[in-house]
Amino acid sequence: CVAAHLQGVEAVSLRLAPSPPLRAEPLRFLAEALLAAAAATGPAAAESFGEAWRIKGFIPVDGLGLVLLQGVGDQLTLEPWPHGLQEQQPYVVFIGEGLCRERLEEALERCRSGAAPAPALPAA
C-alpha cells in the first residue's frame, strides 16, 4: 500500500558512460531548469521532461573528473568526488512525477557536447 502523499512519485535511474564526460555548464543549466520546472505551477511547467523534485548522482564532468551532483528545490551542487566509484558505472537518479526517461537520457547526452536543452517553463 502506497501512502497517499507518495502516489505518483517515481524515480528514474540512468547509467552514464564514463566517457566522454559531460560539460559542467550545460549540466548545471539542465538540472536547474528541471528543478525550477518542478517548483513552477501549471501543467506546462515540465511538459516534456516531467517534474524533477530531487536529482542526485555521480557524473563524469569535463575538467572536474567525477562529481557528486545533488539538487533539490533551488539548491544545486556539483562537488568533486575523489573516491571513485570502484566498479560501478556513473549514474544519476531523478525523483519526481511524470518523468520521461528517454528525454532525460537525450538531454544528458547533449550535455556532452554542451547543447543541453532546458525544459520549457510557463510564462509568468
Short mmCIF file of all heavy atoms in Angstrom, two decimals, residues 60-104:
data_model
loop_
_atom_site.label_atom_id
_atom_site.label_comp_id
_atom_site.label_asym_id
_atom_site.label_seq_id
_atom_site.Cartn_x
_atom_site.Cartn_y
_atom_site.Cartn_z
N PRO A 60 30.62 11.99 -14.55
CA PRO A 60 31.91 12.49 -15.03
C PRO A 60 31.73 13.85 -15.70
O PRO A 60 30.90 14.01 -16.59
CB PRO A 60 32.35 11.42 -16.04
CG PRO A 60 31.07 10.83 -16.55
CD PRO A 60 30.09 10.92 -15.40
N VAL A 61 32.49 14.85 -15.23
CA VAL A 61 32.37 16.21 -15.75
C VAL A 61 33.72 16.67 -16.27
O VAL A 61 34.74 16.52 -15.59
CB VAL A 61 31.83 17.17 -14.67
CG1 VAL A 61 31.84 18.61 -15.17
CG2 VAL A 61 30.43 16.76 -14.25
N ASP A 62 33.70 17.21 -17.48
CA ASP A 62 34.91 17.69 -18.13
C ASP A 62 35.64 18.70 -17.25
O ASP A 62 35.06 19.66 -16.77
CB ASP A 62 34.53 18.33 -19.47
CG ASP A 62 35.73 18.66 -20.31
OD1 ASP A 62 36.70 17.87 -20.33
OD2 ASP A 62 35.73 19.72 -20.96
N GLY A 63 36.92 18.46 -17.01
CA GLY A 63 37.74 19.35 -16.22
C GLY A 63 37.63 19.16 -14.71
O GLY A 63 38.44 19.69 -13.97
N LEU A 64 36.63 18.41 -14.25
CA LEU A 64 36.44 18.19 -12.81
C LEU A 64 36.60 16.74 -12.41
O LEU A 64 36.77 16.44 -11.24
CB LEU A 64 35.04 18.66 -12.37
CG LEU A 64 34.72 20.14 -12.56
CD1 LEU A 64 33.27 20.42 -12.20
CD2 LEU A 64 35.66 20.98 -11.71
N GLY A 65 36.50 15.84 -13.37
CA GLY A 65 36.51 14.41 -13.06
C GLY A 65 35.14 13.98 -12.57
O GLY A 65 34.12 14.56 -12.94
N LEU A 66 35.12 13.00 -11.70
CA LEU A 66 33.86 12.50 -11.15
C LEU A 66 33.33 13.51 -10.14
O LEU A 66 34.07 13.98 -9.28
CB LEU A 66 34.07 11.14 -10.49
CG LEU A 66 32.82 10.39 -10.06
CD1 LEU A 66 31.97 10.01 -11.27
CD2 LEU A 66 33.20 9.15 -9.29
N VAL A 67 32.03 13.86 -10.25
CA VAL A 67 31.43 14.79 -9.29
C VAL A 67 30.18 14.17 -8.69
O VAL A 67 29.51 13.32 -9.31
CB VAL A 67 31.05 16.16 -9.93
CG1 VAL A 67 32.27 16.86 -10.50
CG2 VAL A 67 29.97 16.02 -10.96
N LEU A 68 29.87 14.62 -7.48
CA LEU A 68 28.61 14.29 -6.83
C LEU A 68 27.65 15.42 -7.17
O LEU A 68 27.88 16.57 -6.81
CB LEU A 68 28.80 14.18 -5.32
CG LEU A 68 27.52 14.06 -4.49
CD1 LEU A 68 26.73 12.81 -4.86
CD2 LEU A 68 27.86 14.07 -3.00
N LEU A 69 26.60 15.09 -7.91
CA LEU A 69 25.56 16.05 -8.27
C LEU A 69 24.41 15.88 -7.28
O LEU A 69 23.93 14.77 -7.08
CB LEU A 69 25.06 15.77 -9.69
CG LEU A 69 23.78 16.48 -10.12
CD1 LEU A 69 24.03 17.97 -10.29
CD2 LEU A 69 23.25 15.88 -11.40
N GLN A 70 24.00 16.99 -6.65
CA GLN A 70 22.87 16.96 -5.74
C GLN A 70 22.02 18.19 -6.01
O GLN A 70 22.53 19.31 -6.05
CB GLN A 70 23.33 16.98 -4.27
CG GLN A 70 24.16 15.80 -3.89
CD GLN A 70 24.43 15.79 -2.40
OE1 GLN A 70 23.64 15.24 -1.65
NE2 GLN A 70 25.53 16.38 -1.98
N GLY A 71 20.72 17.97 -6.19
CA GLY A 71 19.83 19.09 -6.41
C GLY A 71 18.48 18.85 -5.79
O GLY A 71 17.92 17.75 -5.88
N VAL A 72 17.96 19.88 -5.13
CA VAL A 72 16.60 19.86 -4.59
C VAL A 72 16.16 21.32 -4.46
O VAL A 72 16.94 22.17 -4.02
CB VAL A 72 16.52 19.11 -3.23
CG1 VAL A 72 17.36 19.77 -2.17
CG2 VAL A 72 15.08 18.97 -2.78
N GLY A 73 14.93 21.61 -4.89
CA GLY A 73 14.44 22.98 -4.83
C GLY A 73 15.33 23.92 -5.62
O GLY A 73 15.63 23.66 -6.78
N ASP A 74 15.80 24.98 -4.98
CA ASP A 74 16.70 25.91 -5.68
C ASP A 74 18.17 25.67 -5.31
O ASP A 74 19.03 26.49 -5.61
CB ASP A 74 16.30 27.36 -5.37
CG ASP A 74 16.45 27.73 -3.90
OD1 ASP A 74 16.71 26.83 -3.07
OD2 ASP A 74 16.31 28.92 -3.58
N GLN A 75 18.44 24.53 -4.69
CA GLN A 75 19.81 24.18 -4.30
C GLN A 75 20.39 23.17 -5.28
O GLN A 75 19.78 22.14 -5.54
CB GLN A 75 19.82 23.57 -2.89
CG GLN A 75 19.22 24.46 -1.84
CD GLN A 75 20.05 25.71 -1.62
OE1 GLN A 75 21.26 25.65 -1.45
NE2 GLN A 75 19.38 26.87 -1.63
N LEU A 76 21.58 23.46 -5.82
CA LEU A 76 22.25 22.55 -6.73
C LEU A 76 23.74 22.62 -6.46
O LEU A 76 24.31 23.71 -6.39
CB LEU A 76 21.96 22.92 -8.18
CG LEU A 76 22.62 22.02 -9.22
CD1 LEU A 76 21.96 20.65 -9.24
CD2 LEU A 76 22.57 22.65 -10.59
N THR A 77 24.36 21.45 -6.29
CA THR A 77 25.81 21.42 -6.10
C THR A 77 26.43 20.38 -7.02
O THR A 77 25.84 19.34 -7.31
CB THR A 77 26.20 21.08 -4.64
OG1 THR A 77 25.67 19.80 -4.30
CG2 THR A 77 25.69 22.13 -3.68
N LEU A 78 27.63 20.69 -7.48
CA LEU A 78 28.49 19.77 -8.22
C LEU A 78 29.81 19.75 -7.43
O LEU A 78 30.58 20.69 -7.49
CB LEU A 78 28.76 20.27 -9.64
CG LEU A 78 27.60 20.28 -10.61
CD1 LEU A 78 27.97 21.02 -11.88
CD2 LEU A 78 27.19 18.86 -10.95
N GLU A 79 30.02 18.68 -6.68
CA GLU A 79 31.19 18.59 -5.83
C GLU A 79 32.14 17.51 -6.35
O GLU A 79 31.72 16.38 -6.58
CB GLU A 79 30.78 18.20 -4.41
CG GLU A 79 29.83 19.16 -3.75
CD GLU A 79 29.33 18.65 -2.41
OE1 GLU A 79 30.09 17.97 -1.69
OE2 GLU A 79 28.17 18.92 -2.10
N PRO A 80 33.43 17.84 -6.54
CA PRO A 80 34.38 16.81 -6.96
C PRO A 80 34.33 15.63 -5.99
O PRO A 80 34.22 15.79 -4.78
CB PRO A 80 35.73 17.53 -6.88
CG PRO A 80 35.38 18.97 -7.09
CD PRO A 80 34.05 19.15 -6.40
N TRP A 81 34.40 14.42 -6.55
CA TRP A 81 34.33 13.19 -5.76
C TRP A 81 35.62 12.41 -5.99
O TRP A 81 35.74 11.66 -6.96
CB TRP A 81 33.11 12.38 -6.18
CG TRP A 81 32.86 11.21 -5.30
CD1 TRP A 81 33.13 9.89 -5.56
CD2 TRP A 81 32.27 11.23 -4.00
NE1 TRP A 81 32.76 9.10 -4.51
CE2 TRP A 81 32.22 9.91 -3.53
CE3 TRP A 81 31.79 12.24 -3.18
CZ2 TRP A 81 31.70 9.58 -2.29
CZ3 TRP A 81 31.27 11.90 -1.95
CH2 TRP A 81 31.23 10.57 -1.51
N PRO A 82 36.59 12.55 -5.10
CA PRO A 82 37.90 11.94 -5.30
C PRO A 82 37.94 10.44 -5.02
O PRO A 82 38.95 9.80 -5.28
CB PRO A 82 38.78 12.70 -4.30
CG PRO A 82 37.85 13.07 -3.20
CD PRO A 82 36.52 13.36 -3.88
N HIS A 83 36.86 9.87 -4.50
CA HIS A 83 36.87 8.48 -4.06
C HIS A 83 36.62 7.47 -5.17
O HIS A 83 36.79 6.28 -4.95
CB HIS A 83 35.83 8.28 -2.96
CG HIS A 83 35.93 9.31 -1.88
ND1 HIS A 83 37.00 9.40 -1.01
CD2 HIS A 83 35.11 10.34 -1.56
CE1 HIS A 83 36.82 10.42 -0.20
NE2 HIS A 83 35.69 11.01 -0.51
N GLY A 84 36.20 7.92 -6.34
CA GLY A 84 35.89 6.99 -7.41
C GLY A 84 34.63 6.20 -7.11
O GLY A 84 34.00 6.37 -6.08
N LEU A 85 34.26 5.34 -8.05
CA LEU A 85 33.07 4.51 -7.88
C LEU A 85 33.42 3.03 -7.83
O LEU A 85 32.54 2.19 -7.93
CB LEU A 85 32.08 4.75 -9.03
CG LEU A 85 31.41 6.10 -9.08
CD1 LEU A 85 30.48 6.19 -10.29
CD2 LEU A 85 30.64 6.38 -7.81
N GLN A 86 34.67 2.73 -7.69
CA GLN A 86 35.17 1.36 -7.70
C GLN A 86 34.71 0.69 -8.99
O GLN A 86 35.13 1.11 -10.05
CB GLN A 86 34.78 0.63 -6.44
CG GLN A 86 35.46 1.25 -5.24
CD GLN A 86 34.78 0.93 -3.93
OE1 GLN A 86 33.93 0.08 -3.85
NE2 GLN A 86 35.18 1.63 -2.90
N GLU A 87 33.82 -0.26 -8.96
CA GLU A 87 33.43 -0.96 -10.18
C GLU A 87 32.07 -0.53 -10.71
O GLU A 87 31.56 -1.12 -11.64
CB GLU A 87 33.45 -2.47 -9.93
CG GLU A 87 34.85 -2.96 -9.63
CD GLU A 87 34.91 -4.47 -9.49
OE1 GLU A 87 34.04 -5.17 -10.02
OE2 GLU A 87 35.85 -4.93 -8.83
N GLN A 88 31.47 0.49 -10.11
CA GLN A 88 30.18 0.96 -10.57
C GLN A 88 30.33 1.94 -11.72
O GLN A 88 31.35 2.61 -11.86
CB GLN A 88 29.41 1.65 -9.44
CG GLN A 88 28.96 0.71 -8.36
CD GLN A 88 28.08 1.44 -7.34
OE1 GLN A 88 27.85 2.63 -7.44
NE2 GLN A 88 27.62 0.71 -6.36
N GLN A 89 29.29 2.03 -12.52
CA GLN A 89 29.22 2.97 -13.62
C GLN A 89 28.61 4.28 -13.11
O GLN A 89 27.76 4.26 -12.23
CB GLN A 89 28.34 2.36 -14.72
CG GLN A 89 28.34 3.10 -16.01
CD GLN A 89 27.55 2.35 -17.07
OE1 GLN A 89 27.05 1.26 -16.85
NE2 GLN A 89 27.41 2.96 -18.22
N PRO A 90 29.04 5.45 -13.65
CA PRO A 90 28.40 6.71 -13.25
C PRO A 90 26.89 6.64 -13.47
O PRO A 90 26.41 5.98 -14.39
CB PRO A 90 29.04 7.74 -14.19
CG PRO A 90 30.35 7.14 -14.57
CD PRO A 90 30.09 5.66 -14.64
N TYR A 91 26.14 7.35 -12.62
CA TYR A 91 24.68 7.32 -12.72
C TYR A 91 24.08 8.59 -12.15
O TYR A 91 24.74 9.35 -11.44
CB TYR A 91 24.11 6.11 -11.97
CG TYR A 91 24.33 6.16 -10.48
CD1 TYR A 91 23.39 6.72 -9.63
CD2 TYR A 91 25.51 5.67 -9.92
CE1 TYR A 91 23.61 6.79 -8.27
CE2 TYR A 91 25.72 5.73 -8.55
CZ TYR A 91 24.77 6.29 -7.74
OH TYR A 91 25.00 6.37 -6.39
N VAL A 92 22.82 8.81 -12.47
CA VAL A 92 22.06 9.91 -11.90
C VAL A 92 20.63 9.42 -11.66
O VAL A 92 20.11 8.60 -12.43
CB VAL A 92 22.08 11.16 -12.81
CG1 VAL A 92 21.44 10.89 -14.15
CG2 VAL A 92 21.41 12.35 -12.13
N VAL A 93 20.04 9.87 -10.55
CA VAL A 93 18.68 9.50 -10.19
C VAL A 93 17.83 10.76 -10.13
O VAL A 93 18.23 11.75 -9.51
CB VAL A 93 18.63 8.77 -8.83
CG1 VAL A 93 17.19 8.44 -8.44
CG2 VAL A 93 19.48 7.51 -8.86
N PHE A 94 16.69 10.72 -10.80
CA PHE A 94 15.72 11.80 -10.76
C PHE A 94 14.52 11.30 -9.97
O PHE A 94 14.01 10.21 -10.25
CB PHE A 94 15.25 12.18 -12.17
CG PHE A 94 16.35 12.67 -13.06
CD1 PHE A 94 17.07 11.78 -13.85
CD2 PHE A 94 16.67 14.02 -13.12
CE1 PHE A 94 18.08 12.22 -14.69
CE2 PHE A 94 17.69 14.47 -13.95
CZ PHE A 94 18.39 13.57 -14.73
N ILE A 95 14.07 12.07 -9.00
CA ILE A 95 12.86 11.72 -8.25
C ILE A 95 11.85 12.82 -8.53
O ILE A 95 12.16 14.01 -8.42
CB ILE A 95 13.14 11.62 -6.74
CG1 ILE A 95 14.17 10.52 -6.48
CG2 ILE A 95 11.85 11.36 -5.96
CD1 ILE A 95 14.68 10.47 -5.06
N GLY A 96 10.65 12.41 -8.90
CA GLY A 96 9.63 13.40 -9.22
C GLY A 96 8.36 12.75 -9.71
O GLY A 96 7.99 11.66 -9.27
N GLU A 97 7.73 13.40 -10.67
CA GLU A 97 6.45 12.93 -11.19
C GLU A 97 6.42 13.14 -12.70
O GLU A 97 6.88 14.17 -13.20
CB GLU A 97 5.32 13.70 -10.52
CG GLU A 97 3.94 13.20 -10.87
CD GLU A 97 2.86 13.90 -10.06
OE1 GLU A 97 3.07 15.05 -9.62
OE2 GLU A 97 1.81 13.29 -9.87
N GLY A 98 5.88 12.16 -13.42
CA GLY A 98 5.72 12.28 -14.87
C GLY A 98 7.04 12.36 -15.61
O GLY A 98 7.13 12.96 -16.68
N LEU A 99 8.09 11.75 -15.06
CA LEU A 99 9.42 11.82 -15.65
C LEU A 99 9.49 11.03 -16.96
O LEU A 99 8.99 9.92 -17.04
CB LEU A 99 10.46 11.30 -14.67
CG LEU A 99 10.56 12.10 -13.36
CD1 LEU A 99 11.41 11.34 -12.35
CD2 LEU A 99 11.12 13.49 -13.62
N CYS A 100 10.12 11.61 -17.96
CA CYS A 100 10.28 10.95 -19.26
C CYS A 100 11.72 10.48 -19.41
O CYS A 100 12.63 11.28 -19.68
CB CYS A 100 9.91 11.92 -20.40
SG CYS A 100 10.09 11.16 -22.03
N ARG A 101 11.94 9.20 -19.20
CA ARG A 101 13.28 8.60 -19.24
C ARG A 101 14.01 8.93 -20.54
O ARG A 101 15.17 9.35 -20.52
CB ARG A 101 13.17 7.08 -19.07
CG ARG A 101 14.50 6.35 -19.26
CD ARG A 101 14.35 4.85 -19.14
NE ARG A 101 14.04 4.45 -17.79
CZ ARG A 101 14.94 4.27 -16.84
NH1 ARG A 101 16.22 4.45 -17.09
NH2 ARG A 101 14.57 3.91 -15.63
N GLU A 102 13.34 8.76 -21.66
CA GLU A 102 14.01 8.96 -22.96
C GLU A 102 14.47 10.40 -23.14
O GLU A 102 15.58 10.65 -23.60
CB GLU A 102 13.07 8.56 -24.11
CG GLU A 102 12.76 7.08 -24.17
CD GLU A 102 11.72 6.63 -23.14
OE1 GLU A 102 10.92 7.48 -22.65
OE2 GLU A 102 11.71 5.43 -22.80
N ARG A 103 13.65 11.35 -22.76
CA ARG A 103 14.03 12.76 -22.92
C ARG A 103 15.12 13.15 -21.94
O ARG A 103 16.00 13.95 -22.28
CB ARG A 103 12.81 13.65 -22.81
CG ARG A 103 11.90 13.46 -24.01
CD ARG A 103 10.84 14.47 -24.10
NE ARG A 103 10.05 14.20 -25.30
CZ ARG A 103 8.89 14.73 -25.54
NH1 ARG A 103 8.37 15.58 -24.67
NH2 ARG A 103 8.23 14.44 -26.63
N LEU A 104 15.09 12.60 -20.75
CA LEU A 104 16.17 12.86 -19.79
C LEU A 104 17.49 12.30 -20.30
O LEU A 104 18.53 12.96 -20.22
CB LEU A 104 15.83 12.28 -18.42
CG LEU A 104 14.68 12.98 -17.68
CD1 LEU A 104 14.24 12.15 -16.47
CD2 LEU A 104 15.08 14.39 -17.26
#
